[in-house]
């Protein structure tokens, strides 16, 4: 990322009393969720000072391209930057880079002081946690060798890009979205890529069986070496003993690798929340309004665990979503809360992933489906799976089929339905068969 | 330096200097131009960067891909003949005139 244009921290480290320093809202975590929260607050007329603070040494940037266009070298780092420096100045938002908050002291009224590892303190009248998630580390012999890499942030991506030139063989561990996207990108760069997945299928539970199988076949047809049900027993070092040279599988096979990239999921950052005594469980527990258990702190994005926002979901069901769309929608809800309004998460969750020439778009959440309809048009390279519960459409996985994706997303947003029987013919435009049948016409069976 | 002229649904005009090679979407978002959401950051996946392009700018713009064409059927405000997704509109040297729809979501 370009360092030519730097944003200097505006809030001064606190000296003497708290009242002497600028307070207002402190947002810890300057990424998708934090940026959206700040931007939405200004759009709603919030006029207190906002400090958007993060521990990375980059201006706030977006992550999705890190495994796609940025890794492939088709876009430049400048394109990842969310907002120009002028924008932040004009909107009275101080962007603080490179400060890691290690402790927060908070009073019952919601105000307090956040302490950074550097010794700087940041007083606040209200706190927002948009601290995201970190890459899950792999615990196996040799995992700390040089050139064993992860891909969560810009520094990871820059390191991978810097080192990829020396490598011909790359082993990717983890058949989730990050692994598949990076594998496709690295394959495009001419690398010899092998992708290892511990489980029996790709992309865990994020998509249904049929979609996972479609991706498996599609990637294999494009020459990607994907091995399912494959366990890694250790990483072997090169002659220097410092850098990785191979991946040993549990059956004894050793795959050569000058780079190992691990993408085995993320862990929400909850340490600050725990230290604050907030309720935590697979993320920071928040209510429908993005407010944590202390009643004042808001938490948004990958770090937050919220009631399932999808209409008709089982009562009491909670989820933590890792997507741009969720960070954006939840941030809007939190912005309303901070301006004294109560607005629930109303959006339809959606997600995308680009892998080689495959564009996956997911609308809704398929949890609890009791019926699927597959629309497959191999001639045109299109594939969609529609998910139903009690006859009502609840989600769709769409590959190279934006029309299907849009039709389902719009139907879900307007509480309409796409009858399963009529949807089976891939030549039928879903938009034309969308009906007004009410959503929760049939209560979900069981829980 | 090309200038992008954004007119919103109420007729308010914003003129933003852009860089050659940047997209109309990037130029808007970086400067906080309302009316462009661009959730997917230019990945051609969200259709929330919809704009109406002034007719005489058509020729200078890159042609529309099939994927963009399909995505345009899902915009919040219905597409018109001069609809484009602004993340696909890279600036060359010339000014571009676009109108943003009244909503993107
Ligand atoms: C390579 C990659 C590709 C992706 N592709 C897609 C995609 O195609 N589509 C999609 O929808 N989503 C995608 N995602 C997911 C999406 O990027 C995340 O859901 C989104 O970034 C979540 O935003 P967030 O702000 O909640 O958390 P994060 O982006 O994790 O940001 C949290 C920030 O807080 C900082 N922080 C944490 N603790 C502290 C502290 N104590 N003090 C100061 N700062 C702190 C972190 O360093 C980080 O900068 C992708 C993610 C990655 C990594
Ligand atoms: S920014 Fe998402 S389609 Fe243009």
């Amino acid at each position: 990322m370009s360092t030519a244009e730097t944003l200097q921290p505006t809030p001064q480290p606190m000296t003497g009393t708290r009242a002497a320093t600028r307070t207002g809202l402190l947002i810890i975590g300057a990424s998708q969720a934090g940026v959206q929260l700040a931007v939405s607050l200004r759009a709603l007329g919030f006029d207190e000072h906002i400090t958007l603070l993060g521990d990375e040494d980059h201006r706030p940037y977006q992550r999705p391209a890190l495994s796609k266009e940025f890794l492939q070298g088709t876009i430049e780092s400048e394109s990842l930057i969310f907002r120009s420096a002028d924008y932040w100045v004009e909107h009275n938002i101080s962007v603080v880079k490179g400060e890691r908050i290690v402790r927060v002291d908070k009073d019952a009224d919601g105000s307090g002081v956040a302490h950074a590892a550097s010794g700087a303190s940041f007083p606040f009248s209200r706190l927002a946690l948009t601290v995201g998630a970190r890459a899950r580390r792999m615990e196996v012999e040799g995992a700390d060798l040089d050139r064993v890499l992860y891909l969560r942030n810009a520094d990871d991506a820059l390191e991978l890009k810097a080192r990829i030139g020396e490598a011909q063989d790359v082993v990717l561990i983890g058949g989730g979205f990050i692994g598949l996207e990076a594998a496709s990108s690295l394959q495009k760069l001419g690398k010899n890529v092998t992708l290892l997945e511990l489980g029996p299928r790709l992309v865990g539970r994020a998509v249904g069986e049929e979609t996972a199988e479609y991706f498996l076949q599609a990637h294999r047809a494009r020459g990607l070496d994907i091995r399912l049900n494959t366990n890694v027993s250790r990483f072997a070092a090169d002659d220097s003993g410092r850098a990785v040279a191979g991946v040993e599988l549990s059956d004894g096979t050793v795959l050569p690798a000058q780079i190992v990239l691990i993408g085995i999921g993320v862990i929400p950052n909850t340490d600050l929340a725990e230290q604050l005594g907030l309720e935590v469980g697979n993320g920071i527990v928040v209510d429908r309004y993005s407010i944590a258990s202390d009643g004042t702190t808001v938490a948004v994005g990958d770090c937050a665990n919220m009631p399932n926002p999808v209409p008709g979901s089982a009562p009491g069901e909670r989820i933590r979503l890792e997507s741009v769309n969720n960070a954006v929608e939840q941030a809007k809800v939190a912005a309303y809360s901070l301006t004294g309004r109560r607005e629930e998460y109303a959006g339809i969750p959606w997600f995308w992933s680009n892998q080689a020439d495959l564009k996956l778009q997911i609308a809704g959440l398929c949890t609890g489906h009791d019926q699927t309809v597959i629309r497959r048009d191999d001639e045109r390279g299109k594939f969609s799976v529609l998910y139903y519960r009690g006859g009502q459409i609840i989600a769709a996985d769409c590959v190279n089929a934006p029309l299907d994706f849009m039709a389902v997303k719009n139907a879900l947003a307007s509480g309409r339905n796409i009858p399963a029987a009529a949807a089976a013919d891939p030549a039928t435009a879903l938009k034309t068969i969308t009906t007004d049948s009410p959503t929760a016409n049939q209560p979900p069976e069981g829980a | 330096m090309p200038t992008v002229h954004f007119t919103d649904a109420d007729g308010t005009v914003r003129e933003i200097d852009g860089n050659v090679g940047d997209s109309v979407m990037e130029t808007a978002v970086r400067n906080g131009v309302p009316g462009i959401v661009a959730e997917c950051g230019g990945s051609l996946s969200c259709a929330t960067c919809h704009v109406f392009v002034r007719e005489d700018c058509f020729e200078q713009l890159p042609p529309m891909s099939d994927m963009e064409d399909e995505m345009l059927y899902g915009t919040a405000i219905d597409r018109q003949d001069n609809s484009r997704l602004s993340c696909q509109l890279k600036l060359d040297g010339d000014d571009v005139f676009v109108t943003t729809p009244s909503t993107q979501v």
Side-chain angles (χ1 to χ4, degrees), chain A residues 79 84 350 359 361 382, chain B residues 26 30 39 43-45 70:
Chain A
S79 298
S84 68
W350 77 274
K359 176 190 289 295
Q361 292 167 295
K382 291 170 186 289
Chain B
E26 283 173 304
R30 244 179 259 152
E39 225 170 271
S43 219
L44 195 49
S45 302
E70 287 202 16

Side-chain angles (χ1 to χ4, degrees), chain B residues 1-79:
Chain B
M1 199 182 256
T3 302
V4 187
H5 305 255
F6 294 94
T7 304
D8 70 15
D10 299 330
T12 309
V13 180
R14 289 179 181 78
E15 291 174 356
I16 312 277
D17 290 335
N19 303 312
V20 172
D22 282 358
S23 70
V24 169
M25 177 281 283
E26 283 173 304
T27 310
V29 170
R30 244 179 259 152
N31 295 286
V33 173
I36 305 273
V37 175
E39 225 170 271
C40 78
S43 219
L44 195 49
S45 302
C46 70
T48 62
C49 63
H50 181 197
V51 293
F52 304 109
V53 178
R54 206 174 78 180
E55 306 291 339
D56 61 343
C57 301
F58 257 44
E59 273 179 26
Q60 79 204 55
L61 296 171
M64 185 170 341
S65 67
D66 290 348
M67 195 66 88
E68 181 183 344
D69 192 24
E70 287 202 16
M71 293 287 298
L72 273 169
Y73 284 103
T75 53
I77 296 292
D78 284 345
R79 74 182 292 174

Side-chain angles (χ1 to χ4, degrees), chain A residues 373-413:
Chain A
V373 171
I374 296 175
R375 291 162 58 82
R376 186 169 183 150
D377 180 348
D378 283 336
E379 214 159 290
R380 298 169 67 214
K382 291 170 186 289
F383 176 83
S384 310
V385 181
L386 313 187
Y387 299 92
Y388 290 84
R389 183 162 60 191
Q392 167 67 40
I393 191 152
I394 56 169
D397 300 335
C398 307
V399 185
N400 291 347
L403 286 180
D404 285 5
F405 167 72
M406 291 296 182
V408 173
K409 190 163 170 264
N410 291 338
L412 292 173

Side-chain angles (χ1 to χ4, degrees), chain A residues 88-144:
Chain A
W88 300 119
V89 175
E90 278 161 24
H91 290 80
N92 189 23
I93 297 168
S94 307
V95 177
V96 180
K97 301 189 301 174
E99 290 283 6
R100 178 160 192 82
I101 300 300
V102 290
R103 201 184 86 239
V104 181
D105 297 327
K106 202 173 74 54
D107 298 327
D109 68 354
S111 70
V113 185
H115 303 275
S118 67
S121 317
F122 300 89
F124 57 85
S125 52
R126 192 87 187 251
L127 180 67
L129 295 173
T130 51
V131 287
R134 61 185 182 279
R136 183 192 301 279
R137 302 278 143 177
M138 195 155 158
E139 307 208 351
V140 54
E141 185 191 324
D144 51 1

Side-chain angles (χ1 to χ4, degrees), chain A residues 152-210:
Chain A
R152 177 67 198 177
N153 57 36
D155 285 335
D156 295 341
L158 289 170
E159 183 175 5
L160 178 59
K161 277 186 86 152
R163 313 205 62 168
I164 198 68
E166 322 154 11
Q168 190 46 45
D169 308 298
V170 185
V171 171
L172 270 127
I173 301 183
F177 290 125
I178 301 286
L180 287 168
E181 289 177 0
S184 307
S185 297
L186 294 172
Q187 198 184 21
K188 202 166 181 175
L189 294 176
K191 304 297 164 185
N192 175 24
V193 182
T194 309
L195 185 137
L196 310 177
E197 164 59 44
L198 183 61
R201 68 174 177 100
L202 294 176
V203 249
R205 279 163 304 159
V207 298
E209 288 284 347
E210 294 92 347

Side-chain angles (χ1 to χ4, degrees), chain A residues 38 47-48 82 84 137-138 157 171 176 190 197 201-202 245 266 302 311 328 342 344 366 371 387 396 406 439:
Chain A
D47 58 5
E48 285 177 52
F82 277 116
S84 68
R137 302 278 143 177
M138 195 155 158
V171 171
E197 164 59 44
R201 68 174 177 100
L202 294 176
V266 298
D302 281 18
V328 168
R342 285 285 178 266
E344 290 181 36
C366 66
Q371 185 189 1
Y387 299 92
M406 291 296 182
T439 35

